[in-house]
């Protein structure tokens, strides 16, 4: 995610000095077999950020030869043999209805978009929609204990709208993560189930974000709306238990507030996640507005490339109301974005200095 931050600063400022670490990282991925000895989980967590970073610095134009090598490597990484767990990134996407599968799916989608592989992208979208609850789209996951599934004969990644279990509301719960704390109990224990629910959403959130931003000749997938807005219901379930997004999950409220119009607390100094981050910059002030979340644009052609400080911060519509209150709120969000940019720039400068 530090390389992604570097790429965001490079894209925003046009400073070639910030592009250089991205090119170096891509060369390392191509030549050093950095994935050797890793689990599919690690690859799933980390690959998407590098792919998005390469896109942000326009690798294909800056260094066409390196880009060609990178594309070949990305294709190979999809089926590279990993250690423990599912054998490959694609296997993890297909088999695991938990944090493993969600991170894998996000990286596969990023790779599909970078390679222009429409078939892989569409297949990945169907798998994700199946995890959200549409078993007619995909139902090939391997589930563990089914104690937290409202309908054990038809398990899903996100409990359906209005679902109950032993009279308790589990609408939006993530059964495959909650089972980590054992058999069904109420209230949930809030240990591993809490932590891994938010981590699974890291991957799921990035999948929805990328699918919803598909541009060019490909029609965006309205992933935010799928399965009765499953991701919104998932966050409501967690916040309803007072399981707030913290630590490396702190970037997620920025995305949900922008995508759904929620008002979850969102810090301008939110820590980046295991797979993505910096949405306090790129999601300010909005990804989309209103209830129709299919095909919204947060202000840039590249994933994560919203403009936090230009004439229309982040590409969002401030609502058309010129009232002083709304103008003041918009100005405050712009200042938050400027603060976040300064912090990211400082962080990258420190990283560059340490690497010298």
């Amino acid at each position: 995610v530090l390389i992604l931050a570097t790429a965001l600063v490079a894209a925003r400022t046009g400073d070639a000095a910030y592009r250089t670490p991205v090119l170096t990282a891509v060369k390392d991925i191509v030549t050093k077999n950095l994935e050797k000895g890793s689990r599919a989980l690690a690859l799933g967590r980390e690959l998407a950020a590098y792919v998005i970073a390469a896109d942000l610095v326009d690798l294909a134009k800056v260094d066409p030869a390196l880009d060609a090598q990178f594309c070949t490597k990305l294709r190979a990484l999809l089926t590279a043999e990993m250690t423990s767990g599912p054998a490959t990134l694609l296997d993890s996407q297909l088999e695991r209805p938990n944090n493993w599968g969600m991170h894998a799916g996000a990286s596969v989608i990023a790779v599909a978009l970078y390679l222009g592989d429409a078939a892989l992208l569409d297949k990945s979208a169907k798998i994700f929609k199946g995890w959200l609850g549409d078993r007619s789209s995909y139902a090939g996951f391997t589930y563990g204990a089914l104690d937290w599934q409202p309908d054990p004969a038809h398990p899903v990644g996100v409990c359906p709208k209005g679902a109950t279990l032993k009279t308790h509301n589990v609408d939006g719960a993530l059964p495959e993560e909650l089972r980590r704390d054992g058999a069904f109990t109420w209230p949930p224990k809030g240990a591993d189930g809490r932590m891994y629910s938010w981590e699974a959403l890291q991957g799921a959130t990035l999948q929805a974000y990328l699918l919803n931003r598909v541009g060019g000749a490909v029609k965006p997938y309205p992933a935010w709306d799928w399965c009765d807005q499953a991701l919104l219901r998932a966050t409501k379930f967690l916040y309803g238990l007072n399981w707030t997004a913290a630590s490396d999950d702190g970037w997620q409220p920025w995305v949900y507030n922008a995508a759904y119009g929620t008002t979850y607390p969102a810090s301008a100094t939110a820590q980046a996640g295991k797979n993505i981050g910096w949405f306090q910059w790129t999601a300010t002030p909005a990804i989309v507005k209103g209830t129709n979340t299919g095909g919204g644009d947060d202000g840039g052609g590249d994933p994560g490339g919203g403009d936090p400080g230009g004439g229309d911060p982040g590409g969002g519509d401030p609502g058309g109301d010129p009232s002083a209150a709304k103008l003041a709120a918009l100005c405050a969000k712009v200042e938050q974005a400027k603060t976040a940019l300064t912090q990211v720039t400082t962080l990258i400068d420190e990283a560059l200095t340490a690497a010298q």
Side-chain angles (χ1 to χ4, degrees):
V1 291
L2 290 181
I3 290 297
L4 174 61
T6 307
L8 286 167
V9 175
R12 181 64 183 91
T13 65
D15 189 337
Y18 290 104
R19 186 174 62 211
T20 300
V22 180
L23 301 182
T24 299
V26 171
K27 290 177 183 177
D28 288 344
I29 291 171
V30 168
T31 63
K32 294 185 177 181
N33 293 322
L34 300 177
E35 73 280 4
K36 186 177 180 180
S38 298
R39 299 183 298 167
L41 175 60
L43 183 61
R45 283 171 171 167
E46 298 179 21
L47 184 58
Y50 288 107
V51 176
I52 296 171
D55 187 50
L56 284 168
V57 300
D58 208 358
L59 178 63
K61 290 184 179 179
V62 172
D63 193 333
L66 178 59
D67 181 66
Q69 292 178 300
F70 187 50
C71 288
T72 299
K73 182 68 175 185
L74 290 178
R75 182 71 69 182
L77 286 174
L78 294 175
T79 55
E81 292 286 332
M82 300 287 105
T83 62
S84 73
T88 71
L89 194 65
L90 288 178
D91 288 338
S92 187
Q93 179 193 30
L94 290 166
E95 297 173 11
R96 292 292 185 91
N98 60 4
N99 62 316
W100 284 64
M102 292 304 99
H103 282 303
S107 282
V108 172
I109 287 170
V111 169
L113 287 169
Y114 196 85
L115 298 178
D117 190 332
L120 179 59
L121 178 64
D122 193 59
K123 181 179 180 180
S124 297
K126 290 176 180 177
I127 294 169
F128 181 52
K129 193 174 185 181
W131 180 80
L132 292 172
D134 185 352
R135 289 177 57 87
S136 67
S137 181
Y138 181 77
F141 294 116
T142 300
Y143 288 89
L146 302 175
D147 303 66
W148 284 87
Q149 294 284 350
D151 182 358
H154 303 91
V156 291
V158 181
C159 289
K161 183 177 181 179
T164 60
L165 192 56
K166 297 182 180 179
T167 74
H168 296 287
N169 179 14
V170 292
D171 179 338
L174 275 58
E176 191 67 7
E177 305 301 354
L178 292 173
R179 73 174 182 82
R180 294 175 184 270
D181 288 331
F184 179 84
T185 184
W186 197 265
K189 294 180 181 178
D192 284 351
R194 172 179 181 170
M195 178 178 69
Y196 282 103
S197 288
W198 275 114
E199 191 192 334
L201 285 179
Q202 287 197 25
T205 301
L206 181 55
Q207 288 194 56
Y209 181 76
L210 292 175
L211 289 170
N212 195 69
R213 286 185 56 86
V214 174
V218 183
K219 183 179 180 180
Y221 296 86
W224 298 120
D225 288 336
W226 282 344
C227 302
D228 297 305
Q229 298 186 321
L231 291 180
L232 175 61
R233 293 187 294 101
T235 61
K236 286 184 174 180
F237 177 81
L238 295 174
Y239 275 97
L241 294 169
N242 200 30
W243 294 1
T244 57
S247 187
D248 67 4
D249 299 309
W251 59 272
Q252 294 188 67
W254 284 98
V255 182
Y256 286 101
N257 288 348
Y260 291 117
T262 50
T263 56
Y264 299 133
S267 171
T269 59
Q271 182 179 332
K274 293 178 175 64
N275 61 339
I276 199 74
W278 321 119
F279 282 94
Q280 62 265 47
W281 178 16
T282 60
T284 302
I287 296 174
V288 290
K289 286 285 185 180
T291 57
N292 181 9
T293 60
D297 184 3
D298 70 348
D302 296 318
D307 178 2
D312 179 8
D317 177 2
D321 185 346
S323 69
K326 286 202 172 186
L327 180 59
L330 178 59
C331 290
K333 288 182 178 180
V334 172
E335 291 306 313
Q336 284 183 326
K338 289 180 180 178
T339 299
L341 174 58
T342 299
Q343 292 163 344
V344 170
T345 304
T346 300
L347 179 63
I348 299 307
D349 285 339
E350 293 172 352
L352 291 174
T353 300
Q356 292 175 350

